[in-house]
Every structure is written in C-alpha cells, then in structure tokens.
C-alpha cells in the first residue's frame, strides 16, 4: 500500500469510534507501529490525527486476534493463540471460555484463539475428551493433523499425534468429519469411530459403555477410582451388595454418584480437595 492510500485508510479510521485500551498498550503499540511504518524524516509533515488513527488501526487488528509479525519484510498475519498443555501423569480438566469442558490427557495440548467466544476453533496435539457447549450460531471445530471435527453440541474424544493416525469417538450427539483436500464428509452417530491415517479414512463402531452384570458394589467403587481419580468409601455392610447397570464410559461422575445414592438410599459427601467420595 503506497503512502497516499495509507493516509486515506487512516483518515477513515480516525472518523470511527476507537477501541478502549490501557495507556501502556497504546504507547507500546504506537511506538512499534511508528518505527515500522513512518520514516522519521517524514513524521513532522504528517497531521497528528493520522498518527492517532494509526494507533486505532493497531488496536483494531489486535481486537480481532491479528497482529503484525516482527519481521518488517514479512506480510504474514498470525493468529494470537492460547495454549494449554498437560505435562502431568493424570487427566487435566479444562473449562474453555464458552463453558465447553475438556478432559486433556497426559502429554497432550490444545490451542485456541483469543476471540474464542465467536471463533470456536481448537487445535489438538494428543488426546482429549470434549463435552461441547451448544451454540447454534458458532459451530465448534477441532483440528487434528489433516482432519476437522465440526459440531454444535455433543461429546466426543479426539486422539492424534504428529505422524500418527487420528481417531474420533462419538459418545453423544452428531459430528461431521472432513479431511484436508477432500470433498467427502462423514456424519457420525453415537458409537461411531472415525479413523484417518495414510491418507485413508474409515468409520467403524466402538463400545461406548461399561457393563456391570450382577457385580459387587465395591467393583463400582474401584471403577470410579480408576477412571475419575476419586477414592470411594462405602459402609462395609454394602460391599457385597450386587448391582447390574450400564454406564457410559464418559458419564459425568455426579450422575454415577447420584445413581448409587438413590439405589441404596445412601447419603454422600464429596471432598474435592482430597478427591474423595464418602457414602453413609
């Protein structure tokens, strides 16, 4: 863009309502923009309103999640991202800005844009379970290697590491799968598993339930501890009580606890700090 066109654009911006930012942000952004855009020998000849409008331009771009790269020769624009990484040995629970719940597996990470409320796009490296908050106006998308999972509100897992196949397992709702540079779409229903690797895609079934057939109640306690990380204490007289139930492998822990409470007429207490559930 030549100098004349730049001045015209800045003049238009001057007449618009500016975005509110702190004085520190204004000063730092303006100084960086000034050094890159306006040669020092010409600054004295420019009306002050053009410089003020230039600052507005910088903040307008930052507000949309965009910024200029540090390389003065480059014309690329990058997306400002938030990265959450799980370097622990246990699942990390994350609440995204739109209230979507993510269970991030060990050695995995997710990235998303700062304007996530209107741009619900997540990139994943590793494995995670998503329970997506419904928002018909803003579809939720998960990018993993060359695949894209598009949903409105549902529950599913995505697993994919660099140079390895991608697997998506759907527990609730419906999702649309697509692959980079391919026109075909795959619509999954609960119980479907999408697999992509070596430029080949397929859909198969998986068992999304865990069945307990006349099992001791203590077996359920062990299941909760193994899959949710909560130690369960039940009265000894209930250890050998039998239960037959089918549980969604990604069922909310609260639902399972309420089920046991109602079936055996037990009260319960949950200690989040100690990760302990006590029935009595």
């Amino acid at each position: 863009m030549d100098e004349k066109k730049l001045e015209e654009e800045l003049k238009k911006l001057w007449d618009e309502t500016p975005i509110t930012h702190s004085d520190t942000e204004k000063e730092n952004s303006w100084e960086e923009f000034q050094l890159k855009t306006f040669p020092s020998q010409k600054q004295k000849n420019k009306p002050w309103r053009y410089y003020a409008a230039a600052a507005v331009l910088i903040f307008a771009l930052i507000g949309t999640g965009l910024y200029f790269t540090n390389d003065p020769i480059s014309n690329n624009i990058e997306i400002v991202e938030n990265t959450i990484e799980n370097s622990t040995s246990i699942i990390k629970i994350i609440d995204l800005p739109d209230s979507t719940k993510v269970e991030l597996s060990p050695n995995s990470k997710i990235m998303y844009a700062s304007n996530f409320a209107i741009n619900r796009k997540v990139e994943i490296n590793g494995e995670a379970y998503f329970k997506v908050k419904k928002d018909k106006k803003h579809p939720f998308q998960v990018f993993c290697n060359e695949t894209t999972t598009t949903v409105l509100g549902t529950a599913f897992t995505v697993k994919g590491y660099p140079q390895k196949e991608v697997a998506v397992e759907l527990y609730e709702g419906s999702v649309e799968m697509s692959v980079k540079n391919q026109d075909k779409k795959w619509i999954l229903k609960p119980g479907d598993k999408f697999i992509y690797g070596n430029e080949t895609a397929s859909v198969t079934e998986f068992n999304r339930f865990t069945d307990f057939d006349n099992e001791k109640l203590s077996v359920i306690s062990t299941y909760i501890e193994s899959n949710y990380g909560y130690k369960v204490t039940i009265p000894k007289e209930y250890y050998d009580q039998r239960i037959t139930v089918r549980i969604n492998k990604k069922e909310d822990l609260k639902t399972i606890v309420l089920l046991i409470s109602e079936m055996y007429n037990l009260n319960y207490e949950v200690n989040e700090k100690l990760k302990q559930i006590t029935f009595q």
Side-chain angles (χ1 to χ4, degrees), residues 82-86 92 94 96 104 108-112:
N82 297 295
T83 299
I84 300 178
E85 189 167 0
N86 184 3
K92 186 174 185 177
I94 301 164
L96 294 178
L104 189 62
S108 303
K109 67 179 179 179
I110 59 173
M111 294 148 283
Y112 59 93

Side-chain angles (χ1 to χ4, degrees), residues 80-258:
V80 178
E81 293 177 326
N82 297 295
T83 299
I84 300 178
E85 189 167 0
N86 184 3
S87 57
T88 71
S89 59
I90 60 175
I91 290 176
K92 186 174 185 177
I93 306 300
I94 301 164
D95 289 317
L96 294 178
D98 68 339
S99 297
T100 287
K101 179 182 177 182
V102 181
E103 296 180 7
L104 189 62
S105 296
N107 302 315
S108 303
K109 67 179 179 179
I110 59 173
M111 294 148 283
Y112 59 93
S114 296
N115 60 340
F116 189 76
I118 59 173
N119 181 29
R120 302 202 303 166
K121 293 177 172 57
V122 177
E123 184 176 351
I124 178 174
N125 183 343
E127 181 177 1
Y129 169 69
F130 295 85
K131 194 168 184 64
V132 179
K133 181 73 174 180
K134 291 184 179 180
D135 185 346
K136 294 183 179 180
K137 294 182 179 180
H138 304 103
F140 191 99
Q141 291 185 309
V142 179
F143 299 90
C144 185
N145 296 345
E146 296 183 339
T147 69
T148 302
T149 304
T150 303
V151 304
L152 290 176
T154 187
F156 59 98
T157 60
V158 177
K159 182 178 181 179
Y161 295 88
Q163 310 305 319
K164 293 185 178 181
E165 71 176 22
V166 175
V168 176
E169 296 179 342
L170 181 62
Y171 286 87
E172 301 173 13
S174 177
V175 301
E176 177 188 88
M177 298 301 306
S178 59
V179 177
K180 184 179 180 180
N181 297 326
Q182 292 192 28
D183 294 330
K184 185 177 179 179
K185 309 291 183 182
W186 293 264
I187 305 298
L188 306 188
K189 62 182 185 299
D192 282 349
K193 179 177 182 178
F194 176 87
I195 302 174
Y196 177 76
N198 297 321
E199 299 184 355
T200 301
S202 63
V203 177
T204 184
E205 294 182 352
F206 76 101
N207 184 8
R208 69 186 193 278
F209 298 104
T210 298
D211 292 319
F212 297 91
D213 187 8
N214 198 32
E215 293 281 6
K216 292 181 179 180
L217 188 57
S218 57
V219 174
I220 297 288
S221 299
T222 302
Y223 174 81
I224 292 174
E225 186 170 353
S226 299
N227 291 273
Y228 296 90
Y230 284 74
K231 184 178 180 180
V232 179
T233 301
I234 58 176
K236 290 184 178 180
E237 58 268 30
Y238 286 87
Y239 277 14
D240 294 329
Q241 290 287 331
R242 298 285 175 168
I243 185 171
T244 297
V245 66
R246 166 172 281 192
I247 298 177
N248 188 315
K249 292 179 180 179
K250 291 299 182 180
E251 187 62 80
D252 287 340
L253 177 58
K254 183 178 180 180
T255 301
I256 301 175
V257 172
L258 286 173

Side-chain angles (χ1 to χ4, degrees), residues 38-101:
F38 299 104
S40 58
Q41 64 271 23
K42 295 183 179 181
Q43 287 180 10
K44 294 181 180 180
N45 298 324
K46 303 295 181 184
W48 65 271
R49 64 177 183 175
Y50 290 160
Y51 298 135
V56 174
L57 172 62
I58 285 291
F59 300 126
L61 293 174
I62 293 176
T64 59
L66 305 176
Y67 65 93
F68 291 101
T69 62
N70 291 327
D71 182 359
I73 301 177
S74 173
N75 291 320
N76 294 330
I77 295 177
E78 299 179 5
I79 298 176
V80 178
E81 293 177 326
N82 297 295
T83 299
I84 300 178
E85 189 167 0
N86 184 3
S87 57
T88 71
S89 59
I90 60 175
I91 290 176
K92 186 174 185 177
I93 306 300
I94 301 164
D95 289 317
L96 294 178
D98 68 339
S99 297
T100 287
K101 179 182 177 182

